[in-house]
Amino acid sequence: MKIDEIHNGYVLDHIRAGRSMEIYRALGLDSLDCTVAIIKNVPSRKLGKKDIIKIDEDIVLDLAALGYIDPNITINVIKDGLLVEKQHLKPPAVLVNVVKCKNPRCITSTEQEIDQIFRLSHSGGKDVYRCAYCEMQAGTQ
Amino acid sequence: MEEKKPLRHLIEIRDLTVAEIDSLIALAGDIIARPDDFADTCKRKKLATLFYEPSTRTRLSFEAAMLELGGQILGFASQDSSSASKGESVADTIRVVEGYADIIAMRHPKEGAPVLAAQYASVPMINAGDGGHNHPTQTLTDLTTIQREFGTLEGLTIGLCGDLKFGRTVHSLIAAMVRYPGTHFVLISPQELRPPVYILDSLARETNCKCTESRSLDAVIDSLDVLYMTRVQRERFFNEADYVRLKDSFILDTDKMRGAKQDMIVMHPLPRVNEISVAVDKDYRSRYFEQAKYGKYIRMALILELLGLRQ
């Protein structure tokens, strides 16, 4: 399989296999005119299998969304066809309008145009995100 | 020129340090002992009580507190009698009311509504209960009751019984008492009404205190210093059948009280439905009506503190 090299943009590497479409949607890549390649289930020594996304445009990446979906992603920054920087993510302290609170009792379910804010917390030794309003864990109700 | 103090709100009990809580309880004690000394401390100040949900004790004790401090009150007692019934947002309501009042106490059925309100308020905001989430001024009332009874808030075994999932007073009381060394929480509830995960997580993180769970009140009542009973919160259930199935899970009666220590006290944030038999009211260990009285004094202390009017 041959995918052209990109000139100015990003290669998102080490995406956990199966998460690339979620990232595609979270970053709004469907609205871009440039070349976007999604490569799924690439053999990986570290992960067994991984996904890769290539974006041939210098867009503003939502690092909080990326860090929330998969903090192990490596961001390779490409300029004039050359790798100029490798960025490693960490779980962001705060998420704003990345995920929605699913608690039907939360004020975010009724108040107009309120920011959906989640803060990093810990549960059973794991990183979790809790709604800044009702404290419900992201993804639960 | 006098430096302006930063605006303070009480949205959750963790907004107050342990030293601040102890100081408020001491101030409430001073007010109980010398009420005349505080009679005019809030002259020309106004408290707005915005109650989107029904309340007896909390709203009336806030209003009585402000009136006894020489201040005035305004507000609404139900969502239907405010512009919320026309669809006005909390954010807009707060931006309007802050122009009429010096301090606001708000009760709202949605969890986190006071967090949002505080983002817009330029006067002190007090959470008077948000859904099944938090109720910090009830906690101040509870702590005042316990402190006055035992002379300390440390080293006590506290049984929390009933609806620990939706019981907001329980959530706030746990958040407060985990900071007092030696507290032993005994959580007594049906499996379906265990506390939310974030509360259990906060207990697991604490090394100062101990926590055990029980599905039986009889099995643990003899170990308790405080038995804090709660009502199963009918208004928080989406399914009436679940409420009916769970509502009579724990009923405290005179038989059960025989198994309790002689110096245990029974507390309840009220209103009760049937979880404490009326016969228990005559037991010398029942404290829930005294507890409700303390609510006024601790709210007087809180209003003075948040308005920066402590003498």
Side-chain angles (χ1 to χ4, degrees), chain A residues 104-105 107 111 123 130 135, chain B residues 90-91 110-111 133 201 236:
Chain A
R105 299 177 183 85
I107 186 67
E111 196 81 357
S123 177
R130 296 199 184 285
E135 301 184 70
Chain B
V90 169
K110 290 290 183 182
E111 299 173 7
H133 190 212
D201 284 344
R236 313 283 172 224

Side-chain angles (χ1 to χ4, degrees), chain A residues 103-112 114 117 121-124 128 130 132-137, chain B residues 12 14 89-91 108-113 115-116 119 133-134 166 197-198 201 205 236-238:
Chain A
N103 177 7
R105 299 177 183 85
C106 180
I107 186 67
T108 57
S109 68
T110 52
E111 196 81 357
Q112 297 282 313
I114 181 175
I117 304 170
S121 181
H122 306 282
S123 177
V128 295
R130 296 199 184 285
Y133 299 95
C134 72
E135 301 184 70
M136 193 66 77
Q137 190 176 323
Chain B
E12 56 174 322
R14 288 168 292 190
S89 67
V90 169
H108 200 283
K110 290 290 183 182
E111 299 173 7
V115 178
L116 175 73
Q119 290 170 7
H133 190 212
N134 282 318
F166 298 123
V197 173
Y198 72 89
D201 284 344
R205 277 197 298 273
R236 313 283 172 224
F237 283 81
F238 290 133

Side-chain angles (χ1 to χ4, degrees), chain A residues 69-136:
Chain A
I69 296 168
D70 189 348
N72 299 313
I73 291 172
T74 306
I75 302 173
N76 297 295
V77 183
I78 311 293
K79 292 245 188 283
D80 299 323
L82 297 172
L83 173 66
V84 294
E85 189 184 350
K86 267 183 189 286
Q87 292 178 9
H88 297 281
L89 295 171
K90 57 181 181 183
V94 182
L95 299 173
V96 180
N97 297 328
V98 174
V99 272
K100 272 192 162 186
C101 185
K102 291 185 177 175
N103 177 7
R105 299 177 183 85
C106 180
I107 186 67
T108 57
S109 68
T110 52
E111 196 81 357
Q112 297 282 313
E113 296 177 28
I114 181 175
D115 279 338
Q116 298 273 341
I117 304 170
F118 283 76
R119 297 189 204 288
L120 182 60
S121 181
H122 306 282
S123 177
K126 285 195 306 188
D127 288 342
V128 295
Y129 285 88
R130 296 199 184 285
C131 175
Y133 299 95
C134 72
E135 301 184 70
M136 193 66 77

Side-chain angles (χ1 to χ4, degrees), chain B residues 202-218:
Chain B
S202 72
L203 284 168
R205 277 197 298 273
E206 283 301 327
T207 51
N208 258 344
C209 66
K210 203 168 115 183
C211 176
T212 50
E213 286 195 62
S214 174
R215 304 280 162 257
S216 160
L217 176 56
D218 284 320

Side-chain angles (χ1 to χ4, degrees), chain B residues 222-250:
Chain B
D222 64 342
S223 67
L224 307 178
D225 298 312
V226 175
L227 172 57
Y228 192 95
M229 294 295 295
T230 61
R231 171 178 68 92
V232 175
Q233 306 268 310
R234 181 180 204 158
E235 63 275 30
R236 313 283 172 224
F237 283 81
F238 290 133
N239 181 343
E240 179 74 5
D242 286 343
Y243 167 72
V244 170
R245 184 168 50 81
L246 294 166
K247 72 184 175 65
D248 297 330
S249 298
F250 296 98

Side-chain angles (χ1 to χ4, degrees), chain B residues 133-173:
Chain B
H133 190 212
N134 282 318
H135 195 348
T137 62
Q138 179 63 47
T139 299
L140 289 173
T141 304
D142 300 340
L143 297 176
T144 304
T145 309
I146 297 169
Q147 168 70 40
R148 291 180 72 84
E149 190 66 34
F150 293 95
T152 181
L153 291 168
E154 297 183 3
L156 297 170
T157 299
I158 300 183
L160 301 159
C161 180
D163 184 350
L164 310 187
K165 180 178 182 182
F166 298 123
R168 58 191 173 199
T169 63
V170 167
H171 305 163
S172 291
L173 184 56

Side-chain angles (χ1 to χ4, degrees), chain B residues 4-9 90-104 114-126 306-307:
Chain B
K4 205 177 167 191
K5 283 190 174 173
L7 180 63
R8 287 205 67 181
H9 306 293
V90 169
D92 284 359
T93 303
I94 293 300
R95 282 181 284 193
V96 171
V97 172
E98 67 174 15
Y100 309 147
D102 301 286
I103 184 165
I104 299 171
V115 178
L116 175 73
Q119 290 170 7
Y120 292 93
S122 60
V123 299
M125 219 25 252
I126 302 172
L306 294 183
L307 286 177

